[in-house]
Amino acid sequence: MTYNHEKIWLSIDCLVFGYDVKDENLKLLLFERKVNPFAGSWSLIGGFVNVNEDICHSAERVLKTFTGLEDVFLEQLHTFGKTERDPGGRVVSILYWSLIKLDDIKKDIVNSHGARWFELDKLPNLILDHERMVNLGVSQLKKNAISSPIGFELLPEKFTIPQLLRLYEAIYNRSIDDRNFRKKILSTDILIRLNEKDKTNSKKGAYLYKFNEENYQRLKSEGYHLDIAIG
Amino acid sequence: MTYNHEKIWLSIDCLVFGYDVKDENLKLLLFERKVNPFAGSWSLIGGFVNVNEDICHSAERVLKTFTGLEDVFLEQLHTFGKTERDPGGRVVSILYWSLIKLDDIKKDIVNSHGARWFELDKLPNLILDHERMVNLGVSQLKKNAISSPIGFELLPEKFTIPQLLRLYEAIYNRSIDDRNFRKKILSTDILIRLNEKDKTNSKKGAYLYKFNEENYQRLKSEGYHLDIAIG
DNA sequence: GCAAAAGTGTTCTTAGTACACCCATGA
DNA sequence: TCATGGGTGTACTAAGAACACTTTTGC
């Protein structure tokens, strides 16, 4: 014991946003809390930080434990530390968020761990300050979708432009002009068109694209600002 | 004791940026560390979070203790939690930043508390991961100066447009066209021109302005993006 | 041949950029 | 009267916004 000071419980909470190209809906993963206080209520997934564990690893562990998922986008957002935030004791909580490309396999994995997906406008009441956390996450989603390619984290590796457009419409909750959207996103050169079409949504079929990480990094280092929020 | 889990030391580190309209230089406040490990080395100001204290109050306390300053801009940036970040023990640290309008009075207050201002390009070596923290702060400064009026936090209540321009040049470390800067910043309506001139820098004198908080809030809620980085 | 989604181009308007001169004043 | 910093305007260019029709194909 090298420092002489009182210690504090430190926890992780994790916002897990998921998007399914099929039903075109943004979803949030919630869990029915098993421990008191508030056993039986809905909450974000979370857990305590261990002494011998980097906080980013705690976040990965929490995500893995509750969803079975790993190697997905996971980033720190903010730390919540009001003394009265948890009536069960003084717990400071570090909020992370994860963005998931939903498919049936991942839905099954998550379901088998007991968590449940909720549509963003149909959330139940949440415990503690978790509602504030959700609000922060939603506003970050809107803010970041403009300037960084978090959108691609929510889509499968191969996706069509209409799917990407539909995702942005879901994030911003309004309709976007498809001609301008297309022009803008293609002019940035961060998409690679494949010689494949996806025909699940139309008879004509839509070209599949991949995200071009390299070009995106170049653009970003040049200080480019995507600004995809097109009326 | 309601939760059964190990606790952790939680600390605050605080980046304090200061700007003095007279010498037109961005400065960072550092402190010579008094406690081991690393006694005698330079570090950010910081301290432990108490169990009965909101983390934002911890940050205010740390700032007050080391600088005598209160009621200034103070915001959370990021939490650092690698297990090996402090060889003195497992300490997770929440980084805050504060932006200070420097004048002689504030410089005296700070000096009398034993901290010292360093120009950004003349920083000494820093302990632990404090260099990473500084880098994060500097990049946040550049990022936020574009889209939010943090610049005004660094200027006195009344300031001239050349002073504001000089500050942005200091933040972005390059020269900015004064005609375009003026046009842009005035077109946003977030400045109020006063019927006073500041003649410290010229015989003609430059009009003093105040920041218009109300108009800024309106602009922000309309989703406006300032984009002051003018070539 | 028709329904349904994918894909394409043009005009207009707005905002950014580059650039040079006059103004007010104290010394 | 002149040196110094403060203030203004215009022409050009690039990007955003609004908007309608053709293409492909399975049924």
Side-chain angles (χ1 to χ4, degrees):
Chain A
M1 178 121 159
T2 48
Y3 296 113
N4 180 24
H5 204 275
E6 29 187 31
K7 297 182 179 182
I8 289 176
W9 281 307
L10 196 57
S11 74
I12 300 287
D13 284 300
C14 188
L15 282 164
V16 185
F17 288 102
Y19 184 75
D20 179 354
V21 290
K22 275 191 233 126
D23 67 12
E24 302 179 354
N25 245 311
L26 258 176
K27 293 187 170 64
L28 181 67
L29 189 72
L30 297 177
F31 195 77
E32 212 171 343
R33 182 153 154 141
K34 299 284 187 334
V35 298
N36 269 314
F38 306 114
S41 301
W42 291 97
S43 77
L44 300 180
I45 64 174
F48 285 98
V49 174
N50 298 322
V51 165
N52 61 349
E53 182 185 53
D54 291 355
I55 56 172
C56 57
H57 295 147
S58 308
E60 287 168 4
R61 174 175 52 79
V62 163
L63 188 66
K64 176 92 187 279
T65 305
F66 283 86
T67 66
L69 299 171
E70 49 193 331
D71 294 323
V72 294
F73 174 91
L74 184 60
E75 210 177 65
Q76 190 191 124
L77 277 188
H78 191 78
T79 297
F80 292 78
K82 292 257 181 235
T83 46
E84 78 280 10
R85 61 173 293 279
D86 188 336
R90 179 65 201 290
V91 183
V92 169
S93 188
I94 309 170
L95 179 65
Y96 278 74
W97 72 343
S98 178
L99 304 177
I100 309 284
K101 324 160 198 290
L102 280 185
D103 52 35
D104 294 337
I105 299 156
K106 283 191 186 145
K107 277 187 191 165
D108 284 350
I109 296 175
V110 169
N111 284 335
S112 72
H113 284 74
R116 219 179 101 188
W117 293 102
F118 287 81
E119 290 181 23
L120 275 188
D121 50 2
K122 288 169 191 160
L123 298 180
N125 286 328
L126 299 175
I127 61 164
L128 308 180
D129 47 6
H130 287 196
E131 212 147 310
R132 275 188 63 208
M133 294 178 176
V134 172
N135 293 338
L136 179 67
V138 170
S139 67
Q140 283 291 315
L141 206 53
K142 290 183 182 177
K143 198 168 154 191
N144 289 3
I146 294 178
S147 57
S148 70
I150 56 160
F152 304 111
E153 301 291 345
L154 290 164
L155 289 175
E157 202 183 342
K158 299 175 182 182
F159 53 87
T160 68
I161 292 192
Q163 284 170 346
L164 183 61
L165 173 68
R166 236 52 60 69
L167 168 60
Y168 274 90
E169 289 183 326
I171 292 176
Y172 291 105
N173 203 22
R174 65 189 180 83
S175 69
I176 296 173
D177 183 281
D178 64 332
R179 291 158 290 188
N180 292 337
F181 181 80
R182 212 174 261 275
K183 202 189 307 172
K184 178 112 193 193
I185 196 79
L186 289 176
S187 74
T188 59
D189 256 335
I190 57 173
L191 296 186
I192 301 167
R193 191 168 94 174
L194 305 173
N195 277 325
E196 288 175 75
K197 283 193 164 192
D198 173 84
K199 294 202 171 185
T200 51
N201 284 303
S202 74
K203 291 146 193 167
K204 185 181 179 184
Y207 280 107
L208 285 163
Y209 289 80
K210 275 197 324 188
F211 175 53
N212 188 333
E213 176 72 27
E214 200 183 319
N215 276 5
Y216 168 68
Q217 290 301 340
R218 192 171 40 71
L219 268 179
K220 204 172 71 167
S221 68
E222 290 164 6
Y224 191 76
H225 183 256
L226 286 178
D227 219 343
I228 289 174
I230 300 169
Chain B
M1 178 119 161
T2 48
Y3 295 114
N4 180 24
H5 205 275
E6 31 187 28
K7 297 183 179 182
I8 289 176
W9 281 306
L10 194 59
S11 74
I12 301 288
D13 284 300
C14 189
L15 283 164
V16 185
F17 288 103
Y19 183 75
D20 180 353
V21 289
K22 275 191 233 127
D23 66 11
E24 301 177 354
N25 244 311
L26 258 176
K27 293 187 171 64
L28 181 67
L29 189 72
L30 296 177
F31 196 78
E32 211 172 341
R33 181 151 153 143
K34 299 282 187 338
V35 297
N36 270 314
F38 307 114
S41 300
W42 291 98
S43 78
L44 300 180
I45 64 172
F48 286 98
V49 174
N50 297 321
V51 165
N52 62 348
E53 182 186 53
D54 292 355
I55 56 172
C56 57
H57 294 147
S58 308
E60 287 167 4
R61 176 175 52 79
V62 163
L63 188 66
K64 177 91 187 282
T65 305
F66 283 85
T67 67
L69 298 171
E70 49 193 331
D71 295 324
V72 294
F73 175 90
L74 183 60
E75 212 178 63
Q76 190 192 123
L77 277 188
H78 191 78
T79 297
F80 292 78
K82 293 257 180 234
T83 46
E84 78 280 10
R85 59 173 294 278
D86 187 337
R90 178 68 201 288
V91 183
V92 169
S93 187
I94 310 170
L95 179 66
Y96 279 74
W97 71 342
S98 177
L99 304 176
I100 308 284
K101 324 159 198 291
L102 279 184
D103 53 33
D104 295 336
I105 298 155
K106 283 192 186 144
K107 277 187 192 165
D108 284 350
I109 296 174
V110 169
N111 284 335
S112 72
H113 284 74
R116 220 179 100 189
W117 293 102
F118 286 82
E119 290 182 24
L120 275 188
D121 49 1
K122 289 168 191 159
L123 298 180
N125 286 329
L126 299 175
I127 61 164
L128 306 181
D129 47 6
H130 288 196
E131 212 146 309
R132 275 187 63 207
M133 293 178 176
V134 172
N135 293 337
L136 179 66
V138 170
S139 67
Q140 283 292 314
L141 206 53
K142 289 184 184 177
K143 197 169 156 191
N144 288 4
I146 295 177
S147 57
S148 71
I150 55 160
F152 304 110
E153 301 290 346
L154 289 163
L155 290 175
E157 201 182 343
K158 299 175 182 179
F159 53 87
T160 68
I161 291 191
Q163 284 170 345
L164 183 62
L165 172 68
R166 236 50 63 66
L167 168 60
Y168 274 90
E169 289 184 328
I171 292 176
Y172 290 105
N173 206 22
R174 65 190 182 83
S175 69
I176 296 173
D177 184 280
D178 64 332
R179 290 158 292 188
N180 293 337
F181 181 79
R182 213 173 258 276
K183 202 191 308 175
K184 178 109 194 195
I185 195 79
L186 288 176
S187 74
T188 59
D189 256 336
I190 57 173
L191 296 187
I192 302 168
R193 190 167 95 174
L194 306 173
N195 277 325
E196 289 176 75
K197 283 194 163 189
D198 173 83
K199 294 202 171 184
T200 51
N201 283 303
S202 74
K203 292 147 192 167
K204 184 181 179 181
Y207 279 106
L208 285 163
Y209 288 80
K210 274 198 323 189
F211 175 53
N212 188 333
E213 176 73 29
E214 201 183 318
N215 276 5
Y216 168 68
Q217 290 302 341
R218 191 172 39 72
L219 267 179
K220 204 172 70 168
S221 68
E222 289 165 7
Y224 191 76
H225 182 255
L226 286 177
D227 217 345
I228 288 173
I230 299 169

